[in-house]
Coordinates of all heavy atoms in Angstrom, one line a residue:
C7 N 0.8 -1.2 0.0 CA 0.0 0.0 0.0 C 0.9 1.3 0.0 O 0.5 2.3 -0.6 CB -1.0 0.0 1.2 SG -2.2 -1.3 1.0
D8 N 2.0 1.2 0.7 CA 3.0 2.3 0.6 C 3.5 2.5 -0.8 O 3.6 3.6 -1.3 CB 4.1 2.1 1.6 CG 3.7 2.2 3.0 OD1 2.6 2.8 3.3 OD2 4.5 1.8 3.9
A9 N 3.7 1.4 -1.5 CA 4.2 1.5 -2.9 C 3.1 2.1 -3.8 O 3.4 2.9 -4.7 CB 4.6 0.1 -3.4
M10 N 1.9 1.8 -3.5 CA 0.8 2.4 -4.3 C 0.7 3.9 -4.0 O 0.6 4.6 -5.0 CB -0.5 1.7 -3.8 CG -1.7 2.3 -4.6 SD -3.3 1.6 -4.0 CE -3.3 2.1 -2.3
D11 N 0.9 4.3 -2.8 CA 0.9 5.8 -2.5 C 2.1 6.4 -3.2 O 1.9 7.5 -3.8 CB 1.0 6.0 -1.0 CG -0.2 5.6 -0.2 OD1 -1.3 5.4 -0.9 OD2 -0.2 5.5 1.0
E12 N 3.3 5.8 -3.2 CA 4.4 6.4 -3.9 C 4.2 6.5 -5.4 O 4.5 7.5 -6.0 CB 5.7 5.5 -3.7 CG 6.2 5.5 -2.3 CD 6.6 6.8 -1.8 OE1 7.3 7.6 -2.6 OE2 6.4 7.2 -0.6
A13 N 3.5 5.5 -5.9 CA 3.2 5.5 -7.4 C 2.2 6.6 -7.7 O 2.3 7.3 -8.7 CB 2.7 4.2 -7.8
L14 N 1.2 6.9 -6.8 CA 0.3 7.9 -7.0 C 1.0 9.3 -7.0 O 0.7 10.2 -7.8 CB -0.8 7.9 -5.9 CG -1.8 9.1 -5.9 CD1 -2.6 9.0 -7.3 CD2 -2.8 9.0 -4.8
V15 N 1.9 9.5 -6.0 CA 2.6 10.7 -6.0 C 3.4 10.9 -7.3 O 3.5 12.0 -7.9 CB 3.6 10.8 -4.8 CG1 4.5 12.0 -4.8 CG2 2.8 10.8 -3.5
A16 N 4.0 9.9 -7.8 CA 4.8 9.9 -9.1 C 3.8 10.3 -10.2 O 4.2 11.1 -11.1 CB 5.5 8.6 -9.4
V17 N 2.6 9.8 -10.3 CA 1.7 10.2 -11.3 C 1.3 11.6 -11.2 O 1.3 12.4 -12.2 CB 0.4 9.3 -11.3 CG1 -0.7 9.9 -12.2 CG2 0.6 7.9 -11.6
C18 N 1.1 12.1 -10.0 CA 0.8 13.5 -9.8 C 1.9 14.4 -10.2 O 1.7 15.5 -10.7 CB 0.4 13.7 -8.3 SG -1.2 13.0 -7.9
A19 N 3.1 13.9 -10.0 CA 4.3 14.8 -10.3 C 4.7 14.7 -11.8 O 5.5 15.6 -12.3 CB 5.5 14.3 -9.5
A20 N 4.1 13.8 -12.6 CA 4.3 13.7 -14.0 C 4.0 15.1 -14.7 O 3.0 15.7 -14.3 CB 3.6 12.6 -14.6
R21 N 4.8 15.5 -15.6 CA 4.6 16.7 -16.3 C 4.4 16.4 -17.8 O 5.4 16.4 -18.6 CB 5.8 17.7 -16.1 CG 5.9 18.2 -14.7 CD 4.7 19.1 -14.5 NE 4.7 19.7 -13.1 CZ 3.7 19.5 -12.3 NH1 2.7 18.9 -12.6 NH2 3.8 20.1 -11.1
P22 N 3.2 15.9 -18.2 CA 3.0 15.5 -19.5 C 3.2 16.7 -20.5 O 2.8 17.8 -20.3 CB 1.5 15.1 -19.6 CG 1.0 15.1 -18.2 CD 2.0 15.9 -17.4
L23 N 4.0 16.4 -21.6 CA 4.3 17.4 -22.6 C 3.4 17.3 -23.8 O 2.9 18.2 -24.3 CB 5.7 17.4 -23.0 CG 6.7 17.6 -21.8 CD1 8.2 17.5 -22.3 CD2 6.5 19.0 -21.2
A24 N 3.2 16.0 -24.2 CA 2.4 15.8 -25.4 C 0.9 15.9 -25.0 O 0.5 15.5 -23.9 CB 2.7 14.4 -25.9
E25 N 0.1 16.4 -25.9 CA -1.3 16.6 -25.7 C -2.0 15.3 -25.3 O -2.9 15.3 -24.4 CB -2.0 17.2 -26.9 CG -3.4 17.6 -26.7 CD -3.7 18.7 -25.7 OE1 -2.8 19.5 -25.5 OE2 -4.8 18.7 -25.1
D26 N -1.7 14.2 -26.0 CA -2.3 12.9 -25.7 C -2.0 12.5 -24.3 O -2.9 12.0 -23.5 CB -1.9 11.8 -26.7 CG -2.5 12.0 -28.0 OD1 -3.5 12.8 -28.2 OD2 -2.0 11.3 -29.0
D27 N -0.8 12.7 -23.8 CA -0.4 12.3 -22.5 C -1.1 13.2 -21.4 O -1.5 12.7 -20.4 CB 1.1 12.5 -22.3 CG 1.9 11.3 -22.8 OD1 1.3 10.3 -23.3 OD2 3.2 11.4 -22.9
L28 N -1.2 14.5 -21.8 CA -1.9 15.4 -20.9 C -3.4 15.0 -20.7 O -3.9 15.0 -19.5 CB -1.8 16.8 -21.4 CG -2.5 17.9 -20.5 CD1 -1.8 18.0 -19.1 CD2 -2.3 19.3 -21.2
K29 N -4.0 14.7 -21.8 CA -5.4 14.2 -21.7 C -5.5 12.9 -20.9 O -6.4 12.8 -20.0 CB -6.0 14.0 -23.1 CG -6.3 15.3 -23.8 CD -6.8 15.0 -25.2 CE -7.0 16.2 -26.0 NZ -7.4 16.0 -27.4
A30 N -4.6 12.0 -21.1 CA -4.6 10.7 -20.4 C -4.4 10.9 -18.9 O -5.0 10.3 -18.0 CB -3.6 9.7 -21.0
W31 N -3.4 11.8 -18.6 CA -3.0 12.1 -17.2 C -4.2 12.7 -16.5 O -4.5 12.2 -15.4 CB -1.8 13.1 -17.2 CG -1.3 13.5 -15.9 CD1 -0.5 12.8 -15.1 CD2 -1.4 14.8 -15.4 NE1 -0.2 13.6 -14.0 CE2 -0.7 14.8 -14.2 CE3 -2.0 16.0 -15.8 CZ2 -0.6 15.9 -13.3 CZ3 -1.9 17.1 -15.0 CH2 -1.2 17.1 -13.8
R32 N -4.9 13.7 -17.1 CA -6.0 14.3 -16.4 C -7.2 13.2 -16.2 O -7.8 13.2 -15.2 CB -6.5 15.4 -17.3 CG -5.6 16.7 -17.2 CD -6.1 17.7 -18.1 NE -5.3 18.9 -18.0 CZ -5.3 19.9 -18.9 NH1 -6.0 19.7 -20.0 NH2 -4.5 20.9 -18.7
R33 N -7.4 12.5 -17.3 CA -8.5 11.4 -17.2 C -8.1 10.4 -16.1 O -9.0 10.0 -15.3 CB -8.6 10.8 -18.6 CG -9.9 9.9 -18.7 CD -10.1 9.4 -20.1 NE -9.0 8.5 -20.5 CZ -8.2 8.8 -21.5 NH1 -8.2 9.9 -22.2 NH2 -7.3 7.9 -21.9
Y34 N -6.9 10.0 -16.0 CA -6.5 9.0 -15.0 C -6.6 9.6 -13.6 O -7.2 8.9 -12.7 CB -5.1 8.5 -15.2 CG -4.7 7.4 -14.3 CD1 -5.2 6.1 -14.5 CD2 -3.9 7.6 -13.2 CE1 -5.0 5.1 -13.6 CE2 -3.6 6.6 -12.3 CZ -4.2 5.3 -12.6 OH -3.9 4.3 -11.7
L35 N -6.2 10.8 -13.4 CA -6.3 11.4 -12.0 C -7.7 11.5 -11.6 O -8.1 11.3 -10.5 CB -5.6 12.7 -12.0 CG -4.0 12.6 -12.0 CD1 -3.4 14.0 -12.0 CD2 -3.5 11.8 -10.8
R36 N -8.6 11.9 -12.6 CA -10.0 11.9 -12.2 C -10.6 10.5 -11.9 O -11.4 10.3 -11.0 CB -10.8 12.6 -13.4 CG -10.8 14.1 -13.4 CD -11.8 14.7 -14.4 NE -11.6 14.2 -15.8 CZ -10.8 14.9 -16.6 NH1 -10.2 16.0 -16.3 NH2 -10.7 14.5 -17.9
S37 N -10.1 9.5 -12.7 CA -10.7 8.2 -12.5 C -10.3 7.5 -11.2 O -11.0 6.7 -10.7 CB -10.3 7.3 -13.7 OG -8.9 6.9 -13.6

């Protein structure tokens, strides 16, 4: 569960540059 939290922080810290990645990042964080 700690590893899951670490992975969530890493997703939040991602800085998507490509438009497709940005859309996927936003959609994933909402989901």
